[in-house]
Amino acid sequence: MTNKNRGRPAKIIALVTAAALASSGCSTMVAYSAKPNEPIQTLKYTQGIGTVTEKSEANEIFMYPTFRTQGMTMPTFTIGYANNGSEAVNFTTDNVKAFFRGQPVPIYTYTERIAEIQSEKRSQQIALAIVGGLAAGAAAYGASRQTYRSNYSGFVSGRGGVTTFAGTSTVRVYDPLAGIVAGAAVGGATGLGIRQLEYNAQNQEMAANSILQANTVDPLHMVTGDLVLKGCCDPYSRPDDAIRFEVTANGRTAVFEFARVKVSQ
């Protein structure tokens, strides 16, 4: 005796779980190579990451790629600012301008990035809940209406000789409890996926805490933070693949440039 529909709920559970937890395939990774403006700027390496520093009587500013390799989107750089002047200076992302291939690129503020993370999380959770609800209904329907088939054969002896016979009988069974169990199983998988999206968002928010925010930097004090570029960058390689930052503080502007180099596909 065989059950033709027995595997369907498991397949649906797998599909829902995959939708909740799947990540994109192999992505292109890039590195950013510092291009210091010598002799005004110096370049020093730590674990393969180059830090560019520019010093003056008014301040000291350094920058480096936050990660040794990064994805193509949202490139992230760390900036440090030390106030060597005699007055306090307000230092925020407004002090920094970014350019890719010579074109202006916006820089995330902390509030913008958090709002985006929350919006993406809600959209993904709603989509997963809809898909999970449809899958749970399909699983419940399929599990509650199962088909069983059995084969039979034999022979009959009579005056005319022996007559053989064979065939297949089909029985359809309605089992509401099986439907409830299958639907609950898929619903549980959907719940796991929604919780995983919540955890992912929490991790992203923790990373966003390092974004440069508004700081009043007193004389002889320093502040550091990350600069995350928004809506950047074009994935296609070109000779002018470079990101340039213009940092203005204490009445002067320092320029930092990093060339983008593709390291994997």
Side-chain angles (χ1 to χ4, degrees), residues 236-255:
Y236 302 105
S237 298
R238 282 178 28 181
D240 58 345
D241 278 357
I243 294 177
R244 187 178 83 252
F245 295 94
E246 296 179 358
V247 186
T248 302
N250 302 94
R252 63 185 304 274
T253 299
V255 178

Side-chain angles (χ1 to χ4, degrees), residues 32 72-75 100 105-106 229-234 243 260:
Y32 288 92
M72 297 291 286
T73 60
M74 292 197 302
F100 178 66
V105 177
L229 274 57
K230 183 178 182 180
C232 189
C233 297
D234 186 334
I243 294 177
R260 186 177 71 176

Side-chain angles (χ1 to χ4, degrees), residues 40-41 52-56 58-64 77-83 89-99 107 212 217 223-227 229 243-258:
I40 299 173
Q41 297 175 337
V52 181
T53 304
E54 183 170 331
K55 297 181 181 180
S56 70
N59 58 43
E60 178 177 339
I61 302 172
F62 65 82
M63 288 193 69
Y64 60 86
F77 295 80
T78 299
I79 186 171
Y81 165 77
N83 182 10
V89 174
N90 291 327
F91 193 77
T92 73
T93 54
D94 292 337
N95 293 76
V96 186
K97 294 181 180 179
F99 303 84
I107 299 173
L212 179 68
V217 186
V223 65
T224 64
D226 289 347
L227 303 173
L229 274 57
I243 294 177
R244 187 178 83 252
F245 295 94
E246 296 179 358
V247 186
T248 302
N250 302 94
R252 63 185 304 274
T253 299
V255 178
F256 298 83
E257 189 166 337
F258 300 86

